[in-house]
Amino acid sequence: MGLRKKKIQKADFGIALMTICFLVILICPIISLFSKALLNTDGSFAGLANYTKYFSTPALSVSVGNTITVSVVSAVLGTLLGFVYAYGVTRTKIRGKIFFRYVALIPLFLPTVVHGLSLVYLFGNQGVITRLGWDIGLYGRTGIILSEVIYTFPQSFLMFYIALSYADGRLYEAADTMGCSNLKKFSHITIPSVRYTLINSLFVCFTLAFTDFGAPKVLGGNYNVLATDIYKQVAGQFNMNMGAVVGTLLLIPALLSFGVDRVTSKKSSDTISSKASALKIKDSRMRDIAFYIICGGTALCLMILVAVLFMGAFTEYYPYNMGFTLKNFQFNGSTGGIESFVTSVWMSLLTAVFGTVFVFLYAAFIERSKCSGKLKGIGKLFSTVPLALPGMVIGLSFIFFFNSRSNPLNFIYGTVIILVLANMVHFYSVPFVTASSALKKLDREYENVADSMKIPQWKTFLRVTVPLSLPAILEIFLYYFMNSMVTVSAVVFLYSAKFKIASIAITHMEEAGDIAQAAAMSLLILGVNIGARGLYEYLVYRIRKKDRARETAESPVREYAAGKKLGQPAKQI
């Protein structure tokens, strides 16, 4: 009894320490943001005066309407395209589904600034398509919406891909028996089965477009949105109080999306019964041709966005000198050289290592330890908060909190440490859900056996829990690494001249007109992320192959033990 109590006390201390760390790097900065929005520039209390000033300034308040417009249109188009593309991959007999699935992920491998850069090469004033006679008026609302659709499409596709991959074939067979048309089956079975995914996709895409900084920065022109307002107020005018005001406004759709996700996840009961039969996709030549055109056209557009980056990076001076060159990879100038790329890789690796360790340990304390229920509840609550925080809000919050001279942690400001912490917080919630899901699947008997044999918990954790959860750990590592390589909004206010990262360097190159060098840097980021993804797929494949081999080797032993237990003649091994 005394040993068990001692273990519980150690677990309580561990989760309490990690919760305090989370409190310092998450809750305290958010409090600093809200307090800054309620103060005057001289530090005196202003109440809601800053908000009144913002909405009474026509040039600023117009940004709210512009942001809502592009976000609504982007959310609808991104969700529609994501659904149709996912439907084609999961519910038709088109060939090349694996190819289509991976091509849909291309936008996730690049910063949102690069989506805008690719559109400039295609539809800018000297763009490939513009020079052919089709000028869409890229800069402004049109360009932002196009770029946000590219940004939100893979997010929506992944949500619908999972939702549409599972279906009870009995429902469709019953509908066929009753003579229901394909349209009626689609409207009465398919759509209801993904209704909550549809709602979540709309809100997620709306939030992503509402809070994105990269696309408006490159393509916005004179069309102001809230994200660029923050940048102008903070980086341009050093008006921190007004920047904090706009930052709190960015929280509104994020919190709304977070609330909708909580409600829909509770109401959703679209589970697959154990008696369900697999959906048999019927032959339909016209349907497959239509979805070949849709999926093929979408995939082609995404590949063209990458192709024009190669064109820009390997040509002398587009469009006036199209000769081949490698000089754009030398990154001459003050906007950021190869050092920024190395810094970005280094920062992403640090984020992935420390983020994975922190997330997995915290999730293990919450899901597997015998510590206080209150501490577990607080940990779960804190772990969902980052899901509702846009990157720019986190960046601003970190400025106000860590740049304060009275803060003993002030020494990390302007170093790579603050970039790592910002990314750990920004991308925390999804890895936490992944870790929690993996840990919940493990049998509790592991801990019970270890307790009965008086084996220390840390040994059980390292020798049992970690090896069994290795695929999830690798997934968390990859998620942190890739997102840290492409992020702009979370670090745009936090980097220093000494620690400029690749995604920020691309922004500055575009500002300076060095779009060829920006394209070259984009290809380096793309190459690293594709390489990381490929390594992840290979490692997971090896792990699963090893697990299958072990299960195959153990199955005769299980059959022998089962036969002996039942008093049956044991099979020869």
Side-chain angles (χ1 to χ4, degrees):
M1 186 68 180
L3 180 62
R4 183 175 181 274
K5 186 175 181 181
K6 188 176 180 180
K7 287 184 177 181
I8 292 175
Q9 288 175 345
K10 287 183 178 179
D12 282 348
F13 175 77
I15 192 173
L17 182 62
M18 299 191 78
T19 302
I20 291 172
C21 292
F22 213 66
L23 180 71
V24 171
I25 65 174
L26 174 66
I27 305 302
C28 291
I30 296 299
I31 293 174
S32 298
L33 173 71
F34 279 93
S35 62
K36 197 75 173 179
L38 300 176
L39 298 177
N40 290 314
T41 53
D42 59 1
S44 60
F45 183 72
L48 299 178
N50 289 327
Y51 290 90
T52 303
K53 181 180 178 181
Y54 180 84
F55 286 106
S56 62
T57 305
L60 295 176
S61 58
V62 167
S63 301
V64 178
N66 291 345
T67 306
I68 293 174
T69 299
V70 297
S71 300
V72 169
V73 176
S74 301
V76 172
L77 294 179
T79 296
L80 180 62
L81 184 59
F83 173 78
V84 173
Y85 195 93
Y87 190 91
V89 173
T90 58
R91 298 292 181 90
T92 68
K93 286 192 172 182
I94 61 174
R95 294 183 178 181
K97 290 184 178 182
I98 295 177
F99 168 77
F100 287 130
R101 181 160 59 90
Y102 280 107
V103 168
L105 304 181
I106 287 177
L108 299 179
F109 297 159
L110 293 165
T112 55
V113 174
V114 179
H115 305 160
L117 185 65
S118 296
L119 290 174
V120 169
Y121 271 115
L122 289 171
F123 299 104
N125 294 332
Q126 295 295 327
V128 175
I129 295 178
T130 304
R131 289 167 65 85
L132 295 176
W134 185 22
D135 186 357
I136 66 171
L138 178 67
Y139 298 99
R141 180 175 59 188
T142 302
I144 295 175
I145 290 174
L146 279 176
S147 186
E148 299 300 356
V149 170
I150 296 169
Y151 175 38
T152 58
F153 160 69
Q155 321 278 350
S156 178
F157 162 73
L158 289 172
M159 296 172 72
F160 283 115
Y161 178 80
I162 295 171
L164 290 169
S165 295
Y166 300 96
D168 190 347
R170 295 176 302 172
L171 297 175
Y172 292 88
E173 291 171 4
D176 289 335
T177 303
M178 293 186 290
C180 296
S181 64
N182 290 331
L183 180 60
K184 196 164 188 177
K185 286 187 289 185
F186 179 80
S187 61
H188 286 70
I189 301 176
T190 303
I191 293 298
S193 69
V194 297
R195 61 188 181 278
Y196 292 116
T197 304
L198 179 64
I199 295 171
N200 279 333
S201 176
L202 286 170
F203 276 93
V204 167
C205 292
F206 178 85
T207 303
L208 290 173
F210 196 95
T211 58
D212 180 45
F213 169 74
K217 182 69 178 65
V218 176
L219 302 173
N222 295 322
Y223 194 84
N224 291 333
V225 295
L226 287 174
T228 53
D229 271 0
I230 292 181
Y231 188 76
K232 291 175 183 177
Q233 293 293 330
V234 175
Q237 303 177 25
F238 298 100
N239 190 343
M240 299 296 184
N241 301 84
M242 196 59 70
V245 168
V246 185
T248 57
L249 294 178
L250 282 181
L251 281 173
I252 296 174
L255 290 172
L256 183 61
S257 176
F258 175 76
V260 169
D261 178 68
R262 296 298 95 184
V263 172
T264 55
S265 62
K266 290 180 180 179
K267 288 186 175 182
S268 180
S269 58
D270 301 326
T271 55
I272 300 298
S273 169
S274 59
K275 298 179 181 179
S277 61
L279 174 63
K280 296 179 181 179
I281 302 174
K282 295 182 178 181
D283 293 325
S284 175
R285 183 177 177 83
M286 292 301 297
R287 178 203 63 200
D288 290 348
I289 290 175
F291 278 97
Y292 260 127
I293 294 173
I294 295 171
C295 295
T298 304
L300 179 62
C301 290
L302 293 177
M303 290 189 291
I304 288 175
L305 291 174
V306 175
V308 293
L309 294 178
F310 278 93
M311 179 193 70
F314 289 101
T315 54
E316 287 278 354
Y317 185 43
Y318 174 85
Y320 306 105
N321 184 351
M322 299 297 290
F324 178 83
T325 184
L326 294 175
K327 70 176 183 179
N328 295 320
F329 288 87
Q330 297 175 1
F331 303 114
N332 298 319
S334 60
T335 52
I338 195 65
E339 296 83 6
S340 64
F341 175 72
V342 174
T343 300
S344 195
V345 173
W346 176 239
M347 178 206 68
S348 300
L349 284 172
L350 289 175
T351 302
V353 170
F354 289 104
T356 301
V357 171
F358 186 89
V359 167
F360 196 75
L361 279 176
Y362 204 23
F365 275 120
I366 292 173
E367 300 296 344
R368 308 296 296 184
S369 71
K370 298 176 181 178
C371 61
S372 168
K374 290 183 179 179
L375 286 174
K376 289 185 178 183
I378 294 172
K380 288 182 179 180
L381 176 63
F382 281 1
S383 298
T384 58
V385 171
L387 197 62
L389 297 179
M392 295 196 79
V393 171
I394 293 173
L396 275 177
S397 302
F398 271 45
I399 288 179
F400 301 143
F401 181 68
F402 290 105
N403 197 31
S404 173
R405 295 184 182 276
S406 60
N407 189 339
L409 297 175
N410 175 262
F411 69 92
I412 74 170
Y413 190 79
T415 68
V416 74
I417 298 175
I418 197 169
L419 301 179
V420 171
L421 289 178
N423 285 326
M424 283 175 60
V425 172
H426 186 202
F427 305 114
Y428 180 86
S429 293
V430 172
F432 178 80
V433 172
T434 302
S436 295
S437 300
L439 289 166
K440 285 177 181 178
K441 294 177 182 178
L442 300 183
D443 196 332
R444 286 283 179 185
E445 288 300 315
Y446 293 120
E447 283 84 359
N448 295 335
V449 172
D451 286 341
S452 65
M453 299 179 67
K454 298 183 180 180
I455 298 175
Q457 287 182 328
W458 64 268
K459 281 190 177 181
T460 307
F461 178 77
L462 292 177
R463 295 182 181 181
V464 179
T465 306
V466 171
L468 291 175
S469 305
L470 197 54
I473 292 173
L474 290 175
E475 185 177 346
I476 293 169
F477 186 94
L478 177 71
Y479 183 86
Y480 262 127
F481 179 82
M482 287 182 55
N483 281 283
S484 298
M485 282 295 298
V486 304
T487 187
V488 177
S489 58
V491 296
V492 69
F493 298 126
L494 300 175
Y495 74 94
S496 63
K498 188 177 179 181
F499 295 106
K500 183 182 288 187
I501 62 175
S503 57
I504 299 298
I506 291 173
T507 304
H508 291 169
M509 290 172 184
E510 190 277 332
E511 284 180 346
D514 298 328
I515 60 173
Q517 291 187 20
M521 184 70 78
S522 303
L523 292 181
L524 291 180
I525 294 177
L526 178 65
V528 167
N529 280 338
I530 290 177
R533 179 76 192 192
L535 180 60
Y536 162 79
E537 297 283 357
Y538 172 74
L539 291 175
V540 170
Y541 167 76
R542 291 295 301 270
I543 292 170
R544 290 175 177 169
K545 184 179 179 181
K546 185 177 179 181
D547 290 342
R548 286 195 296 268
R550 185 176 65 249
E551 290 174 1
T552 302
E554 291 176 352
S555 60
V557 178
R558 291 173 183 165
E559 291 177 6
Y560 175 81
K564 188 174 182 180
K565 185 176 180 180
L566 295 172
Q568 298 170 350
K571 294 182 179 179
Q572 294 295 322
I573 301 177

